[in-house]
Amino acid sequence: MSERFDTVFESMSEASAIEYLNAKIIELDNPGLKYIAATRLGACTSTESFNTLLEIARTPKENLYEKIARRKAIEALGRRKNKEAIPFLIDALKDHDELTVINAADSITRINTFLTDLQQQELLLALNGPDNQKRAVIQAFTRLNLSDPNKVITQLKSENNPLVSGAAIAYSCRCQKDNSQLHLIVKQLQDENAGRRRAAVIDIGDAGVTSCLGDLVTCPVSMPLKAKSAFQLFCDVDLHSIPLYQVELLEKLLIDDPRQLNLLPTWQVSLEPDAIKVQLKHRDEGRQYAAVKALLDLDQKLQVGLINDLHTNHGSDYGIHYFITSCIGFIGLKDKSNLVTDSLFEEAPQYAKSRIAAAWSCLKLSLIEHKEFITTLGDSTRWEPLRWTCKQVSRKLS
């Protein structure tokens, strides 16, 4: 499946990528080509490119560019989902480089195949590292449903760092059916720190407790991240059979109206277009949503002027592109429906969330002429949040 940066690197041929990855750093005018090549090979399928990634993954390097290329090769092996990579990834868990170990744990998770008792023990030993490394290893145990006979992960539920304790609580919920501390993750969904909120969203998905869906919906974190966890909650359930209230919650999450989110008072922005524009560029999604909420509170003339300004000067920004598409629907600006149409037909992976916003805006603007395309998109896309959105919109658009 295409991922965000595949379109950026697709101009590099597979043969060139293999050549760059095998080259010595001193032979390259741009040493960054090494790790770009590794990323490129993650989207390839040949045995030669797979073996090239294995060779890079098996050999630790001290040079920074070589080290980054190895990390990327390990990450790419996860995308290839070939179980023959598992022994190489298990060996990489012993590395002293934190990001190498994190990528190895993540790739083992993505490949999702049987691990021997010895391999599971090697994975458990990788808990002896920095907190982000601990988190990645715990997530691997959770998502692969591996046992923790010595209660090593259970003990980590009392860690001060919520990145570690949250992951450990999620493990207990999913793998040990112990929800006694789930409320601690739910509370963190409203943390002022954006990183902690994002971590809590991920942990809710890993925990697998569907009663948390409502808390997830109102969390001020990016829609795609929440959607990933929301659909993960129903990974073992037929979505056609879930209760109506859960359907409505999923719709609310995907429509992503900032007026329905729990926004902190400290994020409030003045009703001035320039102030709104500045806050839309903030790295914290909570502040971005507060800016969009302020835009929706402007009078329509100012709204249209700001949307025109944002489209002209910042429309290539993925986040702002998404918010523009959403706001046109929220406000009911049929005169701007051409921008909604553009978003709906945009195929680049980085604009996928804009297609979700466009589908809902088509419903709000009654753009019936796009119903057939939305139906087709729902049948063809592999991204569950977009597929589910298209199915719902197509059914309601008449």
Side-chain angles (χ1 to χ4, degrees):
M1 181 178 178
S2 288
E3 296 195 8
R4 181 169 177 174
F5 294 106
D6 285 351
T7 54
V8 178
F9 302 140
E10 65 183 0
S11 60
M12 180 184 289
S13 69
E14 181 177 356
S16 296
I18 292 172
E19 181 180 349
Y20 288 137
L21 205 49
N22 286 325
K24 296 179 180 179
I25 286 293
I26 58 173
E27 299 173 346
L28 298 173
D29 293 332
N30 177 7
L33 288 171
K34 293 273 284 189
Y35 55 82
I36 292 173
T39 301
R40 175 70 181 92
L41 294 185
C44 298
T45 58
S46 74
T47 300
E48 183 183 5
S49 62
F50 178 71
N51 289 335
T52 300
L53 290 171
L54 289 181
E55 186 59 35
I56 298 300
R58 75 190 304 173
T59 311
K61 300 285 187 180
E62 291 302 318
N63 178 276
L64 177 61
Y65 289 104
E66 296 278 15
K67 184 178 291 187
I68 296 174
R70 182 172 180 240
R71 292 173 188 162
K72 292 295 183 182
I74 289 170
E75 181 181 60
L77 287 171
R79 290 191 60 189
R80 299 292 291 263
K81 296 187 178 181
N82 186 329
K83 63 183 181 181
E84 293 179 16
I86 290 293
F88 297 84
L89 298 173
I90 293 292
D91 284 343
L93 292 170
K94 304 170 187 175
D95 202 277
H96 297 297
D97 178 56
E98 177 185 357
L99 293 178
T100 295
V101 178
I102 290 172
N103 284 4
D106 288 344
S107 288
I108 289 169
T109 304
R110 293 190 74 169
I111 293 172
N112 190 19
T113 191
F114 171 78
L115 298 181
T116 66
D117 290 344
L118 181 58
Q119 288 171 337
Q120 289 185 45
Q121 186 60 32
E122 293 286 355
L123 181 58
L124 198 60
L125 288 173
L127 283 170
N128 299 315
D131 285 350
N132 285 329
Q133 180 174 314
K134 284 189 178 80
R135 179 173 174 81
V137 173
I138 297 169
Q139 287 174 331
F141 268 80
T142 303
R143 295 166 188 177
L144 296 175
N145 198 22
L146 302 177
S147 62
D148 175 27
N150 296 321
K151 308 296 183 184
V152 178
I153 295 174
T154 301
Q155 294 171 18
L156 295 175
K157 291 194 292 183
S158 60
E159 287 282 303
N160 290 329
N161 188 342
L163 294 180
V164 177
S165 60
I169 292 169
Y171 175 83
S172 286
C173 293
R174 181 174 286 275
C175 300
Q176 299 174 330
K177 309 307 177 186
D178 175 8
N179 298 346
S180 61
Q181 292 179 280
L182 180 61
H183 64 282
L184 298 176
I185 301 179
V186 172
K187 181 180 178 182
Q188 194 179 305
L189 290 171
Q190 301 305 322
D191 198 284
E192 188 167 0
N193 181 281
R196 292 187 174 188
R197 293 198 308 277
R198 295 172 194 141
V201 166
I202 294 168
D203 292 338
I204 289 292
D206 284 341
V209 181
T210 57
S211 62
C212 293
L213 180 59
D215 299 296
L216 196 62
V217 168
T218 57
C219 175
V221 163
S222 70
M223 180 274 290
L225 184 62
K226 292 195 295 185
K228 182 177 181 180
S229 286
F231 284 97
Q232 189 178 342
L233 293 177
F234 297 101
C235 62
D236 298 322
V237 178
D238 181 0
L239 285 173
H240 293 97
S241 65
I242 64 175
L244 179 60
Y245 80 92
Q246 290 181 333
V247 172
E248 291 172 346
L249 285 172
L250 283 175
E251 284 192 8
K252 185 176 177 181
L253 186 153
L254 292 164
I255 291 171
D256 203 27
D257 188 334
R259 294 167 295 193
Q260 303 296 318
L261 302 180
N262 291 332
L263 303 177
L264 295 180
T266 53
W267 298 338
Q268 186 174 347
V269 59
S270 64
L271 299 182
E272 298 289 339
D274 286 344
I276 293 170
K277 190 161 55 174
V278 168
Q279 187 148 309
L280 273 174
K281 300 174 189 176
H282 202 283
R283 294 173 65 93
D284 185 334
E285 308 99 304
R287 294 185 179 275
Q288 292 173 357
Y289 281 120
V292 177
K293 182 176 182 294
L295 187 157
L296 296 175
D297 287 337
L298 296 174
D299 67 60
Q300 190 165 108
K301 184 177 180 180
L302 289 175
Q303 287 173 336
V304 172
L306 182 52
I307 287 173
N308 287 338
D309 182 3
L310 291 169
H311 177 254
T312 300
N313 297 305
H314 307 285
S316 60
D317 179 282
Y318 312 143
I320 290 180
H321 186 274
Y322 166 72
F323 287 131
I324 290 172
T325 307
S326 294
C327 285
I328 291 171
F330 292 144
I331 300 167
L333 296 178
K334 201 147 188 176
D335 288 347
K336 295 294 177 185
S337 62
N338 62 305
L339 300 184
V340 171
T341 300
D342 290 344
S343 295
L344 184 65
F345 285 83
E346 177 57 71
E347 296 182 353
Q350 58 268 37
Y351 292 103
K353 66 179 180 179
S354 289
R355 302 186 92 176
I356 289 180
W360 292 113
S361 289
C362 282
L363 180 60
K364 294 177 186 298
L365 298 175
S366 298
L367 301 182
I368 300 172
E369 63 269 27
H370 295 319
K371 179 176 180 177
E372 183 177 352
F373 178 79
I374 291 171
T375 301
T376 302
L377 180 59
D379 291 336
S380 62
T381 182
R382 294 177 60 187
W383 189 34
E384 183 66 29
L386 179 56
R387 180 166 64 247
W388 196 85
T389 291
C390 289
K391 298 291 185 184
Q392 296 301 108
V393 170
S394 179
R395 181 174 58 83
K396 296 181 178 186
L397 197 58
S398 59

